[in-house]
Amino acid sequence: MGMTAILEAQSISFRYGAKEILQNASISLYRSEVVCLLGPNGSGKSTLLKVLLGLLRCHAGQVLLDGGLLTERPRSLIAKRMAYVPQLHMHSFPYSVFDIVLMGRLPYRTLWSPYSEGDRLSAEVALEQLRITHLKDRPYTDLSGGERQLTLIARALAQGAKVLIMDEPVTGLDYGNQIRLLEQLVRLAAEGFSVLMSTHFPDHALWAADRVILLKDGCVVEQGTTQDVMTPTNLEAMYRVPVEVTTVGGGHVCCVPKFKKTVSYEIGRKSSDFSTSQ
């Protein structure tokens, strides 16, 4: 890349008991980019993100943040540099959107100290950045899935972190909210943020990512630019289904499965049969 990585995993391995979850995985994240982490279920994506955040400690290898060992950084400093956006979830209590975003300022205060005017201003700015100021007084529990995810991202921005680690942020979102969320991530990267997100949708990598990392059975099997990595050969090996990567109207690139649908009509009913073709 010709620059210093903000976040870097060097030959990390992790296991639960005797089960190896990550094996000799190395990845890097740079300033002003969106990186997508793709892999089938059970490939170790969530575990890798938690190791990068310091929530889990690797059994071999090391994680570097700003060139220094993550294990030697105080948690307060890590929280000011990296923010975690989990999968879609619901709070049990109807906090307002503003209160949820304001919680991003916790690394800057002691347990019992009140939020300062500066903290409140940071929350206001984060809401404006994501264009959701109109939700400020709404109960978080009343929001749509897309609005909740944008609120969690706003909380991460209020945290002051320039590195966003996101675990399947589009899970449970309808198509429109998925697209709007991806647009926001691309815009944040253009403003100097670094985004690492896991996803189950290859199209999201094609539409929003600068680089892609393919993870399978705990191993990084391929990483590089989206164009170089998102090939039919790589995707077929990853997901074990034949696919095409094709350009559609307007120059958009999409991943299309190669299956045939045959439909036969009989009196009073219609039957469909799906088959996969190589």
Side-chain angles (χ1 to χ4, degrees):
M1 293 286 293
M3 63 183 77
T4 303
I6 294 175
L7 182 63
E8 186 175 7
Q10 297 180 339
S11 303
I12 62 172
S13 297
F14 181 86
R15 63 181 181 274
Y16 287 111
K19 184 176 181 180
E20 200 82 16
I21 306 298
L22 297 172
Q23 303 175 51
N24 200 35
S26 296
I27 70 168
S28 299
L29 182 65
Y30 298 87
R31 185 177 182 272
S32 299
E33 68 171 356
V34 177
V35 177
C36 273
L37 179 63
L38 286 175
N41 289 333
S43 59
K45 297 188 299 297
S46 293
T47 299
L48 175 57
L49 296 184
K50 289 176 181 177
V51 170
L52 291 172
L53 287 160
L55 301 177
L56 296 174
R57 181 167 292 200
C58 55
H59 295 99
Q62 58 188 11
V63 177
L64 303 180
L65 176 62
D66 296 324
L69 287 173
L70 186 70
T71 52
E72 296 179 355
R73 305 287 192 186
R75 290 305 309 177
S76 59
L77 185 146
I78 294 173
K80 293 173 184 177
R81 291 292 289 133
M82 292 194 292
Y84 177 50
V85 179
Q87 294 183 34
L88 188 62
H89 76 295
M90 287 290 292
H91 271 280
S92 300
F93 302 101
Y95 295 107
S96 70
V97 166
F98 184 76
D99 285 338
I100 293 291
V101 176
L102 193 57
M103 291 177 187
R105 301 301 298 170
L106 288 174
Y108 299 89
R109 54 189 288 268
T110 59
L111 183 60
W112 302 112
S113 64
Y115 289 108
S116 68
E117 286 304 311
D119 292 331
R120 295 182 179 279
L121 179 60
S122 294
E124 295 276 6
V125 170
L127 290 168
E128 291 174 6
Q129 273 186 285
L130 291 179
R131 301 164 189 167
I132 56 172
T133 302
H134 62 286
L135 300 176
K136 176 180 176 180
D137 298 319
R138 289 268 304 276
Y140 180 81
T141 48
D142 290 353
L143 301 181
S144 70
E147 290 169 337
R148 289 199 299 272
Q149 284 300 85
L150 289 175
T151 299
L152 294 179
I153 297 173
R155 182 179 67 181
L157 298 186
Q159 194 172 316
K162 300 294 283 188
V163 177
L164 304 181
I165 307 294
M166 312 180 77
D167 192 1
E168 298 180 26
V170 300
T171 297
L173 301 189
D174 63 38
Y175 183 76
N177 279 319
Q178 290 181 26
I179 300 304
R180 281 185 281 274
L181 180 58
L182 292 174
E183 286 177 334
Q184 292 288 4
L185 297 183
V186 171
R187 185 175 64 82
L188 288 172
E191 294 176 0
F193 288 82
S194 303
V195 180
L196 174 62
M197 61 173 282
S198 64
T199 181
H200 281 299
F201 301 98
D203 279 340
H204 294 165
L206 290 167
W207 299 339
D210 300 291
R211 292 191 298 117
V212 177
I213 299 166
L214 300 183
L215 191 69
K216 187 175 183 180
D217 297 327
C219 299
V220 175
V221 295
E222 195 76 41
Q223 61 180 312
T225 65
T226 304
Q227 181 178 1
D228 289 342
V229 173
M230 297 296 288
T231 65
T233 299
N234 285 339
L235 293 174
E236 288 179 21
M238 179 68 57
Y239 295 109
R240 294 184 298 172
V241 292
V243 299
E244 293 179 358
V245 178
T246 185
T247 302
V248 296
H252 296 290
V253 182
C254 296
C255 180
V256 182
K258 289 182 185 177
F259 65 75
K260 291 181 179 179
K261 177 184 178 184
T262 58
V263 181
S264 61
Y265 289 88
E266 300 177 11
I267 297 175
R269 70 188 184 95
K270 180 181 78 172
S271 62
S272 299
D273 184 32
F274 291 87
S275 62
T276 305
S277 62
Q278 298 292 338

